Amino acid sequence: MPKLQAPVLKNEYYEVTFEDLTHEGAGVAKVEGFPIFVENALPDERGKIKVIKVKKGFAFGRLIELYETSKNRIEAPCPIYSQCGGCQLQHFSYEGQLNFKKKQVEQVLARIGKLDLNNVKVHPTLGMNDPWNYRNKAQVPIGEREGGLVAGFYQKRSHDIIDMERCLIQQAENDDVVQAVKKICEQYGIRAYNEEKHKGWLRHIMVRYGLVTKEMMVVFVTKTNDFQHKHEIISQITELFPQVKSIVQNINNKRTNVIFGDETKVLWGEEYIYDKIGDVKFAISARSFYQVNPEQTKVLYDKALEYAGLTGEESVIDAYCGIGTISLFLAQKAKKVFGVEVVPEAIEDAKRNAELNGITNAEFAVGEAEAVIPEWNKQGNKADVIVVDPPRKGCDETLLKTILDMKPHRVVYVSCNPGTLARDLNVLEQGGYETIEVQPVDMFPHTTHVECVAHLSLV
Ligand code: SAH
């Protein structure tokens, strides 16, 4: 593509109409076809912008004034929305967000996946009835201000911690526990970790909440493995919050942005809390991956199960299975499920979760999906249905080739990144599969993330 000579200049003002939103939630306006990205602007709005940075094929601008506002613009309910950065779409009506997510999926499937939208049905995004207080996990950095502790979030583009009593997308119980733990620690003179000096003790507080069981876990992430006033602090927490079933310490002595260190010890109560998705019960430890929006996870997995079309006779592979969440969901309707996952601890959890539910027709293997599944293929261990749920980078090419060679009747692709989903669907389509439908599911309301499940069938 020929490089566009920028028709706009830095520090100049322009009057523009916004046409679209980027995947990051910024408004897109065009001046002589040249795209300018502007935060806090919505499609169909008109306004004045100042160009703040000009790059080769695009520019960034700042919104100065809106002349016409979108019918989808609303007042962001959160008072710290503009400082935080955790949400990007609170100024957009929920209906507008759901439509935007569907359109984004369609655009990417057509542009990257080269799919014909006349043949592939992209359903309206499945949203939440009440799209607030949905996160079951709070991970809060701790800092100090005038001798006291602050527990909140990093200000946008900085590492200054801003205190936050309420996060509107967080389970209120999690916020209550974080605030109480902060105050209790303050009473005992606990010092927060200071990133620059690499001194102090308390780095993060993490709280997890089981939506169905109401059980809670509190994790202290600390620089060193000591714990002053441990007994007093624990007894205050457990007295105030009887639903706390587990208190854990994780030690992270490194100069790093990574939250957790390698050492984890139970300070009080259980090593796990439990939660349920549908009829399946899961043990969740401090370090296990567990979906953060359990209500929508059920919606997503129900769709995956529907697309898998199981009658009880099928052999199913669940690639990238994590702690076996999808595998155990499928096992209730399949003859046999084989889960594969690269993190050994996750597979330990998956086996424990199978046992916990008395599920005996699920087997789990540790390894890369692209190494283990070709091996199964060679041994003649074929599957009728393959479910994949890869990380953001999508499926490995070897895995896609193996799927084409194994020829399962159906492939169910669960994806947290429409771009790599589209790329991989293109490969599967060229190899003889047809994408029948794609269902976007809103797992993360008020953020730009969108989760999809795609249903493919062998032609
Ligand atoms: N299906 C699970 C987890 C999905 S997240 C759930 O819904 O809870 C994606 C998972 O893929 C992570 O657990 C990650 O550890 C795993 N993973 C990443 N690369 C992998 C690979 N090459 N082979 C197998 N698993 C992999």
Side-chain angles (χ1 to χ4, degrees):
M1 266 211 308
K3 294 244 161 55
L4 284 172
Q5 180 69 34
V8 294
L9 290 172
K10 188 175 163 173
N11 291 331
E12 289 292 317
Y13 294 83
Y14 299 87
E15 286 184 8
V16 296
T17 302
F18 295 97
E19 302 170 12
D20 206 351
L21 277 183
T22 65
H23 294 180
E24 288 79 37
V28 184
K30 288 191 177 148
V31 171
E32 293 170 36
F34 190 83
I36 307 169
F37 306 133
V38 181
E39 266 184 36
N40 193 24
L42 295 173
D44 303 326
E45 296 191 321
R46 230 168 55 73
K48 184 171 164 185
I49 61 162
K50 180 179 181 181
V51 169
I52 50 178
K53 196 184 261 178
V54 183
K55 306 284 257 184
K56 274 202 179 118
F58 56 92
F60 293 101
R62 183 178 305 131
L63 189 63
I64 304 295
E65 192 186 341
L66 273 180
Y67 302 140
E68 276 168 41
T69 53
S70 158
K71 66 174 185 353
N72 281 313
R73 177 174 286 275
I74 57 164
E75 182 92 32
C78 174
I80 46 178
Y81 174 56
S82 61
Q83 287 167 284
C84 169
C87 295
Q88 302 81 39
L89 299 176
Q90 280 199 20
H91 60 295
F92 201 9
S93 72
Y94 192 51
E95 194 192 341
Q97 292 181 26
L98 296 176
N99 291 336
F100 157 66
K101 290 183 182 186
K102 171 179 189 248
K103 194 172 137 207
Q104 184 193 332
V105 171
E106 283 176 335
Q107 280 174 347
V108 167
L109 290 179
R111 184 165 52 83
I112 301 176
K114 311 274 178 276
L115 298 188
D116 180 351
L117 295 175
N118 293 318
N119 298 331
V120 182
K121 174 94 185 128
V122 179
H123 298 285
T125 311
L126 290 173
M128 300 184 77
N129 288 333
D130 174 15
W132 301 100
N133 307 312
Y134 61 82
R135 278 188 67 98
N136 61 4
K137 182 173 84 170
Q139 242 165 218
V140 180
I142 307 297
E144 284 182 8
R145 196 176 49 200
E146 289 149 18
L149 295 178
V150 285
F153 61 92
Y154 294 115
Q155 187 166 21
K156 255 190 213 172
R157 293 183 271 275
S158 98
H159 256 216
D160 293 341
I161 298 167
I162 306 226
D163 209 34
M164 170 173 57
E165 297 211 338
R166 223 354 124 242
C167 166
L168 298 186
I169 62 169
Q170 189 64 248
Q171 293 285 348
E173 288 82 351
N174 286 347
D175 287 338
D176 292 346
V177 172
V178 169
Q179 286 304 315
V181 171
K182 179 187 83 173
K183 287 194 184 115
I184 295 167
C185 288
E186 239 168 23
Q187 265 175 37
Y188 290 97
I190 296 289
R191 299 296 304 265
Y193 173 71
N194 179 310
E195 246 181 357
E196 271 164 34
K197 298 188 182 130
H198 194 49
K199 288 221 162 67
W201 184 73
L202 183 56
R203 299 176 68 127
H204 275 80
I205 297 172
M206 176 176 118
V207 180
R208 284 189 129 157
Y209 175 76
L211 183 68
V212 174
T213 60
K214 314 272 183 258
E215 293 183 2
M216 299 185 81
M217 171 186 275
V218 178
V219 184
F220 289 85
V221 183
T222 63
K223 177 170 180 279
T224 48
N225 90 17
D226 57 332
F227 200 126
Q228 289 180 7
H229 305 287
K230 180 166 93 182
H231 297 292
E232 295 94 320
I233 291 176
I234 287 174
S235 70
Q236 286 213 32
I237 296 173
T238 51
E239 260 167 45
L240 274 173
F241 300 103
Q243 64 275 41
V244 170
K245 301 292 177 208
S246 162
I247 302 182
V248 173
Q249 182 177 8
N250 173 273
I251 296 108
N252 184 356
N253 198 2
K254 297 203 180 110
R255 276 180 181 265
T256 169
N257 284 339
V258 177
I259 295 178
F260 288 100
D262 295 332
E263 189 187 341
T264 305
K265 57 182 180 188
V266 178
L267 297 175
W268 179 89
E270 309 291 324
E271 186 181 350
Y272 304 98
I273 58 166
Y274 294 94
D275 197 20
K276 279 178 101 175
I277 298 177
D279 293 328
V280 188
K281 193 170 182 184
F282 295 97
I284 308 154
S285 66
R287 301 298 313 280
S288 354
F289 172 84
Y290 186 65
Q291 299 279 1
V292 296
N293 183 342
E295 189 181 330
Q296 288 297 86
T297 300
K298 166 91 170 48
V299 172
L300 182 76
Y301 291 177
D302 277 338
K303 250 318 144 190
L305 193 60
E306 178 192 323
Y307 289 170
L310 302 178
T311 62
E313 291 307 311
E314 295 80 4
S315 165
V316 184
I317 290 176
D318 177 19
Y320 310 90
C321 71
I323 62 166
T325 22
I326 297 179
S327 317
L328 298 180
F329 222 67
L330 296 167
Q332 305 173 96
K333 298 274 166 66
K335 186 166 167 201
K336 183 97 201 189
V337 177
F338 299 89
V340 53
E341 157 66 46
V342 76
V343 175
E345 293 81 2
I347 288 295
E348 290 301 310
D349 285 352
K351 288 179 179 164
R352 182 177 318 98
N353 286 329
E355 226 168 87
L356 188 66
N357 291 282
I359 292 174
T360 52
N361 61 337
E363 264 180 44
F364 295 96
V366 179
E368 291 178 324
E370 59 272 24
V372 172
I373 297 173
E375 207 44 49
W376 286 346
N377 189 27
K378 259 193 230 153
Q379 293 161 6
N381 183 358
K382 305 272 180 195
D384 303 298
V385 179
I386 296 188
V387 179
V388 298
D389 182 10
R392 288 191 68 76
K393 68 174 196 256
C395 290
D396 189 273
E397 235 182 286
T398 316
L399 175 64
L400 295 174
K401 281 197 191 122
T402 308
I403 293 176
L404 295 179
D405 194 49
M406 273 183 152
K407 296 192 172 46
H409 303 308
R410 285 176 295 285
V411 175
V412 179
Y413 195 134
V414 181
S415 160
C416 56
N417 181 347
T420 53
L421 169 69
R423 178 200 69 197
D424 293 349
L425 290 186
N426 181 268
V427 175
L428 293 170
E429 289 245 338
Q430 291 196 21
Y433 281 86
E434 188 184 4
T435 309
I436 298 175
E437 59 201 315
V438 177
Q439 176 64 65
V441 177
D442 195 22
M443 296 280 273
F444 312 102
H446 315 294
T447 77
T448 50
H449 294 287
V450 54
E451 191 91 13
C452 288
V453 49
H455 174 192
L456 291 95
S457 182
L458 192 60
V459 181

mmCIF file of all heavy atoms in Angstrom, residues 146-174:
data_model
loop_
_atom_site.group_PDB
_atom_site.id
_atom_site.type_symbol
_atom_site.label_atom_id
_atom_site.label_comp_id
_atom_site.label_asym_id
_atom_site.label_seq_id
_atom_site.Cartn_x
_atom_site.Cartn_y
_atom_site.Cartn_z
ATOM 1 N N GLU A 146 0.965 9.884 52.974
ATOM 2 C CA GLU A 146 0.962 10.526 54.288
ATOM 3 C C GLU A 146 0.871 9.503 55.420
ATOM 4 O O GLU A 146 0.005 9.582 56.290
ATOM 5 C CB GLU A 146 -0.203 11.516 54.411
ATOM 6 C CG GLU A 146 -0.015 12.757 53.571
ATOM 7 C CD GLU A 146 -1.333 13.309 53.087
ATOM 8 O OE1 GLU A 146 -2.363 12.959 53.659
ATOM 9 O OE2 GLU A 146 -1.318 14.073 52.107
ATOM 10 N N GLY A 147 1.722 8.532 55.351
ATOM 11 C CA GLY A 147 1.777 7.540 56.424
ATOM 12 C C GLY A 147 0.719 6.453 56.350
ATOM 13 O O GLY A 147 0.869 5.402 56.947
ATOM 14 N N GLY A 148 -0.379 6.678 55.627
ATOM 15 C CA GLY A 148 -1.435 5.671 55.530
ATOM 16 C C GLY A 148 -1.250 4.824 54.274
ATOM 17 O O GLY A 148 -0.369 5.097 53.447
ATOM 18 N N LEU A 149 -2.100 3.796 54.152
ATOM 19 C CA LEU A 149 -2.006 2.934 52.970
ATOM 20 C C LEU A 149 -3.036 3.345 51.924
ATOM 21 O O LEU A 149 -4.125 3.807 52.276
ATOM 22 C CB LEU A 149 -2.251 1.480 53.372
ATOM 23 C CG LEU A 149 -1.220 0.839 54.307
ATOM 24 C CD1 LEU A 149 -1.644 -0.583 54.644
ATOM 25 C CD2 LEU A 149 0.170 0.834 53.668
ATOM 26 N N VAL A 150 -2.696 3.183 50.665
ATOM 27 C CA VAL A 150 -3.685 3.335 49.601
ATOM 28 C C VAL A 150 -3.793 1.999 48.871
ATOM 29 O O VAL A 150 -2.806 1.291 48.679
ATOM 30 C CB VAL A 150 -3.341 4.458 48.586
ATOM 31 C CG1 VAL A 150 -3.583 5.823 49.179
ATOM 32 C CG2 VAL A 150 -1.930 4.352 48.079
ATOM 33 N N ALA A 151 -5.019 1.652 48.480
ATOM 34 C CA ALA A 151 -5.271 0.402 47.767
ATOM 35 C C ALA A 151 -6.131 0.771 46.584
ATOM 36 O O ALA A 151 -7.236 1.266 46.758
ATOM 37 C CB ALA A 151 -6.012 -0.580 48.663
ATOM 38 N N GLY A 152 -5.635 0.590 45.395
ATOM 39 C CA GLY A 152 -6.459 1.038 44.272
ATOM 40 C C GLY A 152 -5.974 0.567 42.935
ATOM 41 O O GLY A 152 -5.964 -0.621 42.651
ATOM 42 N N PHE A 153 -5.553 1.508 42.125
ATOM 43 C CA PHE A 153 -5.168 1.155 40.762
ATOM 44 C C PHE A 153 -4.055 2.107 40.339
ATOM 45 O O PHE A 153 -3.882 3.184 40.932
ATOM 46 C CB PHE A 153 -6.363 1.267 39.818
ATOM 47 C CG PHE A 153 -6.929 2.672 39.761
ATOM 48 C CD1 PHE A 153 -6.483 3.572 38.800
ATOM 49 C CD2 PHE A 153 -7.873 3.084 40.675
ATOM 50 C CE1 PHE A 153 -6.982 4.858 38.764
ATOM 51 C CE2 PHE A 153 -8.373 4.381 40.644
ATOM 52 C CZ PHE A 153 -7.918 5.267 39.681
ATOM 53 N N TYR A 154 -3.311 1.703 39.332
ATOM 54 C CA TYR A 154 -2.278 2.576 38.801
ATOM 55 C C TYR A 154 -2.951 3.608 37.908
ATOM 56 O O TYR A 154 -3.738 3.263 37.030
ATOM 57 C CB TYR A 154 -1.277 1.779 37.964
ATOM 58 C CG TYR A 154 -0.475 0.794 38.777
ATOM 59 C CD1 TYR A 154 -0.607 -0.576 38.569
ATOM 60 C CD2 TYR A 154 0.417 1.241 39.751
ATOM 61 C CE1 TYR A 154 0.128 -1.481 39.317
ATOM 62 C CE2 TYR A 154 1.148 0.339 40.500
ATOM 63 C CZ TYR A 154 1.000 -1.022 40.280
ATOM 64 O OH TYR A 154 1.727 -1.914 41.020
ATOM 65 N N GLN A 155 -2.622 4.881 38.130
ATOM 66 C CA GLN A 155 -3.164 5.918 37.276
ATOM 67 C C GLN A 155 -2.720 5.624 35.840
ATOM 68 O O GLN A 155 -1.611 5.154 35.619
ATOM 69 C CB GLN A 155 -2.625 7.270 37.724
ATOM 70 C CG GLN A 155 -3.271 8.407 37.010
ATOM 71 C CD GLN A 155 -2.974 9.736 37.704
ATOM 72 O OE1 GLN A 155 -2.015 9.842 38.448
ATOM 73 N NE2 GLN A 155 -3.801 10.714 37.454
ATOM 74 N N LYS A 156 -3.581 5.959 34.871
ATOM 75 C CA LYS A 156 -3.281 5.727 33.451
ATOM 76 C C LYS A 156 -1.853 6.152 33.115
ATOM 77 O O LYS A 156 -1.453 7.255 33.485
ATOM 78 C CB LYS A 156 -4.221 6.578 32.603
ATOM 79 C CG LYS A 156 -5.334 5.815 31.947
ATOM 80 C CD LYS A 156 -6.022 6.732 30.955
ATOM 81 C CE LYS A 156 -7.490 6.439 30.865
ATOM 82 N NZ LYS A 156 -8.209 7.418 30.076
ATOM 83 N N ARG A 157 -1.139 5.325 32.378
ATOM 84 C CA ARG A 157 0.215 5.624 31.910
ATOM 85 C C ARG A 157 1.180 6.042 33.023
ATOM 86 O O ARG A 157 2.088 6.834 32.804
ATOM 87 C CB ARG A 157 0.175 6.718 30.831
ATOM 88 C CG ARG A 157 -0.514 6.248 29.545
ATOM 89 C CD ARG A 157 -0.477 7.321 28.485
ATOM 90 N NE ARG A 157 -1.596 8.211 28.557
ATOM 91 C CZ ARG A 157 -2.784 7.990 27.997
ATOM 92 N NH1 ARG A 157 -2.989 6.886 27.315
ATOM 93 N NH2 ARG A 157 -3.773 8.854 28.111
ATOM 94 N N SER A 158 0.956 5.551 34.254
ATOM 95 C CA SER A 158 1.923 5.873 35.309
ATOM 96 C C SER A 158 1.917 4.730 36.327
ATOM 97 O O SER A 158 1.135 3.799 36.213
ATOM 98 C CB SER A 158 1.560 7.182 35.998
ATOM 99 O OG SER A 158 0.859 6.936 37.189
ATOM 100 N N HIS A 159 2.800 4.839 37.305
ATOM 101 C CA HIS A 159 2.770 3.835 38.361
ATOM 102 C C HIS A 159 2.380 4.433 39.704
ATOM 103 O O HIS A 159 2.682 3.891 40.762
ATOM 104 C CB HIS A 159 4.080 3.037 38.399
ATOM 105 C CG HIS A 159 3.905 1.679 37.805
ATOM 106 N ND1 HIS A 159 4.526 0.552 38.255
ATOM 107 C CD2 HIS A 159 3.106 1.263 36.795
ATOM 108 C CE1 HIS A 159 4.135 -0.493 37.543
ATOM 109 N NE2 HIS A 159 3.280 -0.084 36.643
ATOM 110 N N ASP A 160 1.698 5.603 39.671
ATOM 111 C CA ASP A 160 1.167 6.181 40.901
ATOM 112 C C ASP A 160 -0.117 5.442 41.255
ATOM 113 O O ASP A 160 -0.975 5.248 40.396
ATOM 114 C CB ASP A 160 0.822 7.667 40.698
ATOM 115 C CG ASP A 160 2.079 8.483 40.474
ATOM 116 O OD1 ASP A 160 3.161 7.972 40.837
ATOM 117 O OD2 ASP A 160 1.979 9.588 39.918
ATOM 118 N N ILE A 161 -0.233 5.073 42.531
ATOM 119 C CA ILE A 161 -1.430 4.325 42.937
ATOM 120 C C ILE A 161 -2.481 5.293 43.470
ATOM 121 O O ILE A 161 -2.200 6.137 44.311
ATOM 122 C CB ILE A 161 -1.077 3.271 44.005
ATOM 123 C CG1 ILE A 161 -0.079 2.271 43.406
ATOM 124 C CG2 ILE A 161 -2.324 2.550 44.490
ATOM 125 C CD1 ILE A 161 0.585 1.382 44.412
ATOM 126 N N ILE A 162 -3.688 5.165 42.933
ATOM 127 C CA ILE A 162 -4.806 6.004 43.371
ATOM 128 C C ILE A 162 -5.731 5.148 44.232
ATOM 129 O O ILE A 162 -6.011 4.000 43.868
ATOM 130 C CB ILE A 162 -5.590 6.533 42.148
ATOM 131 C CG1 ILE A 162 -4.610 7.224 41.214
ATOM 132 C CG2 ILE A 162 -6.770 7.386 42.581
ATOM 133 C CD1 ILE A 162 -5.040 8.545 40.703
ATOM 134 N N ASP A 163 -6.177 5.692 45.355
ATOM 135 C CA ASP A 163 -7.037 4.925 46.251
ATOM 136 C C ASP A 163 -8.420 4.739 45.619
ATOM 137 O O ASP A 163 -8.916 5.640 44.946
ATOM 138 C CB ASP A 163 -7.177 5.674 47.586
ATOM 139 C CG ASP A 163 -7.417 4.716 48.732
ATOM 140 O OD1 ASP A 163 -6.871 3.592 48.697
ATOM 141 O OD2 ASP A 163 -8.161 5.072 49.654
ATOM 142 N N MET A 164 -9.006 3.567 45.823
ATOM 143 C CA MET A 164 -10.316 3.304 45.205
ATOM 144 C C MET A 164 -11.167 2.516 46.183
ATOM 145 O O MET A 164 -10.807 1.411 46.550
ATOM 146 C CB MET A 164 -10.119 2.501 43.926
ATOM 147 C CG MET A 164 -11.404 1.973 43.336
ATOM 148 S SD MET A 164 -11.131 1.219 41.739
ATOM 149 C CE MET A 164 -9.919 -0.023 42.132
ATOM 150 N N GLU A 165 -12.279 3.104 46.589
ATOM 151 C CA GLU A 165 -13.141 2.362 47.519
ATOM 152 C C GLU A 165 -14.056 1.412 46.774
ATOM 153 O O GLU A 165 -14.402 0.357 47.258
ATOM 154 C CB GLU A 165 -13.967 3.348 48.334
ATOM 155 C CG GLU A 165 -13.048 4.203 49.183
ATOM 156 C CD GLU A 165 -13.676 4.640 50.469
ATOM 157 O OE1 GLU A 165 -14.913 4.655 50.563
ATOM 158 O OE2 GLU A 165 -12.906 4.987 51.384
ATOM 159 N N ARG A 166 -14.451 1.813 45.586
ATOM 160 C CA ARG A 166 -15.412 1.026 44.823
ATOM 161 C C ARG A 166 -14.981 0.926 43.367
ATOM 162 O O ARG A 166 -14.664 1.947 42.758
ATOM 163 C CB ARG A 166 -16.716 1.795 44.872
ATOM 164 C CG ARG A 166 -18.039 1.265 45.081
ATOM 165 C CD ARG A 166 -18.435 -0.128 45.177
ATOM 166 N NE ARG A 166 -19.138 -0.434 46.414
ATOM 167 C CZ ARG A 166 -18.679 -1.303 47.308
ATOM 168 N NH1 ARG A 166 -17.562 -1.946 47.119
ATOM 169 N NH2 ARG A 166 -19.365 -1.568 48.394
ATOM 170 N N CYS A 167 -14.988 -0.279 42.848
ATOM 171 C CA CYS A 167 -14.793 -0.454 41.408
ATOM 172 C C CYS A 167 -16.110 -1.012 40.895
ATOM 173 O O CYS A 167 -16.560 -2.064 41.357
ATOM 174 C CB CYS A 167 -13.654 -1.434 41.149
ATOM 175 S SG CYS A 167 -13.604 -2.001 39.443
ATOM 176 N N LEU A 168 -16.732 -0.326 39.954
ATOM 177 C CA LEU A 168 -18.107 -0.686 39.581
ATOM 178 C C LEU A 168 -18.226 -1.996 38.809
ATOM 179 O O LEU A 168 -19.314 -2.533 38.677
ATOM 180 C CB LEU A 168 -18.741 0.454 38.764
ATOM 181 C CG LEU A 168 -18.874 1.790 39.480
ATOM 182 C CD1 LEU A 168 -19.632 2.774 38.612
ATOM 183 C CD2 LEU A 168 -19.576 1.633 40.816
ATOM 184 N N ILE A 169 -17.117 -2.508 38.289
ATOM 185 C CA ILE A 169 -17.230 -3.807 37.600
ATOM 186 C C ILE A 169 -16.808 -4.961 38.526
ATOM 187 O O ILE A 169 -16.800 -6.110 38.141
ATOM 188 C CB ILE A 169 -16.429 -3.854 36.271
ATOM 189 C CG1 ILE A 169 -14.937 -3.669 36.497
ATOM 190 C CG2 ILE A 169 -16.966 -2.829 35.275
ATOM 191 C CD1 ILE A 169 -14.107 -3.986 35.251
ATOM 192 N N GLN A 170 -16.452 -4.616 39.744
ATOM 193 C CA GLN A 170 -15.971 -5.615 40.704
ATOM 194 C C GLN A 170 -17.122 -6.072 41.612
ATOM 195 O O GLN A 170 -17.994 -5.272 41.954
ATOM 196 C CB GLN A 170 -14.888 -4.926 41.532
ATOM 197 C CG GLN A 170 -14.101 -5.798 42.455
ATOM 198 C CD GLN A 170 -13.281 -6.842 41.750
ATOM 199 O OE1 GLN A 170 -13.578 -8.023 41.871
ATOM 200 N NE2 GLN A 170 -12.283 -6.453 40.998
ATOM 201 N N GLN A 171 -17.119 -7.348 42.008
ATOM 202 C CA GLN A 171 -18.052 -7.805 43.037
ATOM 203 C C GLN A 171 -17.882 -6.899 44.247
ATOM 204 O O GLN A 171 -16.750 -6.732 44.730
ATOM 205 C CB GLN A 171 -17.709 -9.231 43.478
ATOM 206 C CG GLN A 171 -17.919 -10.296 42.436
ATOM 207 C CD GLN A 171 -19.383 -10.628 42.222
ATOM 208 O OE1 GLN A 171 -20.252 -10.229 43.010
ATOM 209 N NE2 GLN A 171 -19.675 -11.331 41.171
ATOM 210 N N ALA A 172 -18.965 -6.346 44.776
ATOM 211 C CA ALA A 172 -18.858 -5.405 45.901
ATOM 212 C C ALA A 172 -18.167 -6.064 47.098
ATOM 213 O O ALA A 172 -17.420 -5.428 47.833
ATOM 214 C CB ALA A 172 -20.246 -4.909 46.281
ATOM 215 N N GLU A 173 -18.397 -7.380 47.278
ATOM 216 C CA GLU A 173 -17.770 -8.095 48.403
ATOM 217 C C GLU A 173 -16.251 -7.985 48.337
ATOM 218 O O GLU A 173 -15.577 -7.847 49.351
ATOM 219 C CB GLU A 173 -18.149 -9.591 48.377
ATOM 220 C CG GLU A 173 -19.579 -9.886 48.767
ATOM 221 C CD GLU A 173 -20.568 -9.696 47.616
ATOM 222 O OE1 GLU A 173 -20.186 -9.164 46.547
ATOM 223 O OE2 GLU A 173 -21.734 -10.068 47.791
ATOM 224 N N ASN A 174 -15.704 -8.061 47.112
ATOM 225 C CA ASN A 174 -14.247 -7.974 46.965
ATOM 226 C C ASN A 174 -13.745 -6.611 47.407
ATOM 227 O O ASN A 174 -12.734 -6.502 48.108
ATOM 228 C CB ASN A 174 -13.836 -8.222 45.507
ATOM 229 C CG ASN A 174 -13.955 -9.681 45.109
ATOM 230 O OD1 ASN A 174 -14.116 -10.544 45.958
ATOM 231 N ND2 ASN A 174 -13.871 -9.951 43.824
#
